[in-house]
Amino acid sequence: MKNLLLMVCSLVFGFYQMTAQNFDIKSPDGRIQLKVTHSDKISWSVSLNGNLIIEKAEAGMDFSSNTDFGYDPKIKSHAIKSASQNIHAVISRKDSDIKDEYTELSITYKGNYKINFRAYNDGVAYQFMDEAKAVRNIISEKVSFTFPKGSRSLFPQEESMYSHNERLYLDKSLTDIQSKHFCSLPVMFTTDKAKVLFTETALHDYPGLFLKGTGSTTLDAQFPKYVLEAVDKDGRSDRVQTITKEADYIAKTSGDRAYPWRVFIISDDDRTFVESNLSYQLAKPNVLQNTDWIKPGKVAWDWYNDNNIFGVDFKAGLNTETYKYFIDFAAMNKIEYVILDEGWTKSTTQILDFNPAMDVKELIRYGKEKGVGIILWVLWKPLDANLLPILQAYKSWGAKGIKIDYMQRNDQYMVTSYEQIARECAKLEMLVDFHGAFKPSGLERMYPNVMNYEGVLGNENNKWSDEITPEHTVTIPFIRMVAGPMDFTPGAMINKEHKNFSISFTRPMSMGTRAHQVAMYVVYEAPLQMMCESPSIYYKEQETVDFITQIPTVWDETKVLQGSVGNYIVVARKKAEKWYIGGMTDADARELPIDLSFLGDGSFSMEVFADGINVDKYAEDYKKEIIEVNKNAKVTAKMASGGGWSAIITKKQ
């Protein structure tokens, strides 16, 4: 009897030990459940409203020495906690105050490492923490997840990891994504019950993640190797390199650090993805003590329009007279900045010497006199070779910031270079716009002088392709913009219906209506928001300019009123006491009801910019009107094919 009792106790204790290796946490609202299991690996799964969304995922890290993470894991301890706090955004790209509420499971393992899992109302995330303090190489990281059968992806497929990460989103069944296919982030997946947006944040001193297919519903991570040697490529040595030697590892580390958060935003409502702040919430907090000098705003931009100004008595081009014209236009319209894009330097590698036709110091002085700041475009490669002297020179001239281009790498050195540039620019009180860049990965919270990232197939592609369709422009808010601000460069005034669109490098046009372009200023998040058209054309379209320049570039509050990935979007954003609404549609004409209940009590004046009655034949046709509304008013955003609808709402006194 005693032996039987001991056997039963032993079985119970063994069962307890086995189940003790499994943990469940739920989001604060209870809709998302995350389960973590342990065997010879760390595995996890996620459900939404009881429906399995991610069937199985695995996490681990393989090192050159000492303990690997997640392989035959031995648990030392674990803790579960609930947290609720408020984050105030220094530069409020979406919301000035963000409720940061989650349930966290923290598991500590033998071998001096731990993993933190978090469940939020809009998704889940995990992060490895290294406490070993060991100098070693990271051979690889295991990031693998499996979706239910029948799942699909809007897949930003890449041809190489040496990339600007400017892609179309290909609608693919996961089983059609083979091992030779891989994508950059962020990427969206669709199951029968919900969508999942996968990205990463708090990316520091570590390579960026790509995802590759397997021919099944499982996807695996892959990373660029640590670069040992890169040589100049003939013909474009100022900006393009050939990586000739790579290590057999992806990164070097000295331990005692946090690795990037792997972020999964999960929802059965497409609007959630645009409203989510999860990438920002999980990023490292602001490290700058003084941020008063950081001034978002609009930018008159030259490169898209090829300096094509007219009606003047001087030859337009890369010269002082042309850029004074840009500055005058900006000053007249209270546009905060002008960019001097490619061509202001003596050559693209001689970036401390001026183009002989351009007096850059005089332009900066003239801009200051007119209340317009100057931002200087620069290539990454020559800047990286002589960073501090170049930045100090630009600062001494009076430049307000830099637009840095042609990074096109995601390896550890490049990620670290981004942070070094952000840090050194912050010391000099200079803004940063990362063009030719990978997606935002949290650096913009840590260094709020980082305004924008490109990493998006944007308006400039109109100069050489027909890929910037209305379907594309209503897809990117739900995918690329979820990671953070995007330098799409809106504001084209030459607008064409699909059938009349043609490619022109020097006189580019946009596909879709005028109102579609205007709505981007509300829908698209970019603290430095470009105005891409020629000032000469803007002068002829002053009514449109007057509407656009009323729209802020940072926001106190965001609400997505309507949203369907790749189909349509209607966003309401608040700044101070005014509300702004932007609506966009794909190739289908739509009439979408606008719920104004967020306005509160009182009467309001609504200034509307909408598609004109003849926009089907002349895409630049628009209608402006002012109507009186209140929170109970019935308003419809009527949009033509490729159309848009915008409103500025002011409370009446």
Side-chain angles (χ1 to χ4, degrees), residues 70-127:
Y71 297 94
D72 194 23
K74 307 298 184 186
I75 298 173
K76 288 175 63 177
S77 63
H78 79 278
I80 296 175
K81 70 173 185 179
S82 296
S84 182
Q85 60 227 355
N86 190 67
I87 297 172
H88 179 73
V90 174
I91 302 299
S92 51
R93 294 164 175 85
K94 195 189 306 283
D95 299 291
S96 58
D97 291 290
I98 302 165
K99 188 174 183 181
D100 187 42
E101 187 177 26
Y102 56 87
T103 306
E104 181 178 80
L105 164 65
S106 181
I107 309 171
T108 302
Y109 301 91
K110 293 179 181 179
N112 295 315
Y113 71 97
K114 67 179 181 179
I115 190 169
N116 296 322
F117 287 94
R118 290 185 183 178
Y120 291 81
N121 290 341
D122 56 348
V124 301
Y126 73 86
Q127 176 189 56

Side-chain angles (χ1 to χ4, degrees), residues 302-309 316-318 322-323 326 342 534:
D302 53 349
W303 194 81
Y304 177 87
N305 56 72
D306 200 37
N307 300 99
N308 237 331
I309 62 175
L318 293 167
T322 296
Y323 282 96
F326 270 83
E342 183 171 2
S534 162

Side-chain angles (χ1 to χ4, degrees), residues 137-154:
N137 298 330
I138 303 166
I139 306 302
S140 64
E141 180 184 349
K142 179 72 170 178
V143 180
S144 178
F145 40 89
T146 302
F147 291 98
K149 289 182 180 179
S151 296
R152 304 185 67 83
S153 176
L154 288 171

Side-chain angles (χ1 to χ4, degrees), residues 539-593:
Y539 279 131
K540 296 168 74 70
E541 302 290 349
Q542 191 63 48
E543 187 174 54
T544 302
V545 171
D546 289 344
F547 190 89
I548 290 172
T549 53
Q550 293 182 70
I551 301 171
T553 64
V554 290
W555 308 96
D556 295 331
E557 187 178 351
T558 292
K559 296 178 180 293
V560 183
L561 307 181
Q562 298 270 8
S564 175
V565 179
N567 297 310
Y568 56 86
I569 186 170
V570 181
V571 178
R573 302 190 193 267
K574 188 180 184 183
K575 181 64 177 176
E577 299 304 315
K578 289 188 177 184
W579 281 93
Y580 304 79
I581 302 178
M584 299 164 61
T585 186
D586 61 1
D588 293 332
R590 300 182 192 275
E591 294 187 15
L592 298 176

Side-chain angles (χ1 to χ4, degrees), residues 495-497 512-515 614-621:
N495 317 112
K496 300 294 179 181
E497 322 83 70
T513 72
R514 169 70 56 81
N614 294 307
V615 76
D616 58 327
K617 293 183 178 180
Y618 187 75
E620 293 159 14
D621 190 28

Side-chain angles (χ1 to χ4, degrees), residues 145 147 151-155 174 177 183 187-191 194-198 211 219 264 273:
F145 40 89
F147 291 98
S151 296
R152 304 185 67 83
S153 176
L154 288 171
F155 198 71
L174 295 192
I177 303 173
C183 74
V187 55
M188 178 170 277
F189 302 96
T190 302
T191 74
K195 292 186 175 75
V196 178
L197 188 288
F198 175 59
L211 271 184
L219 293 104
F264 302 79
F273 300 99

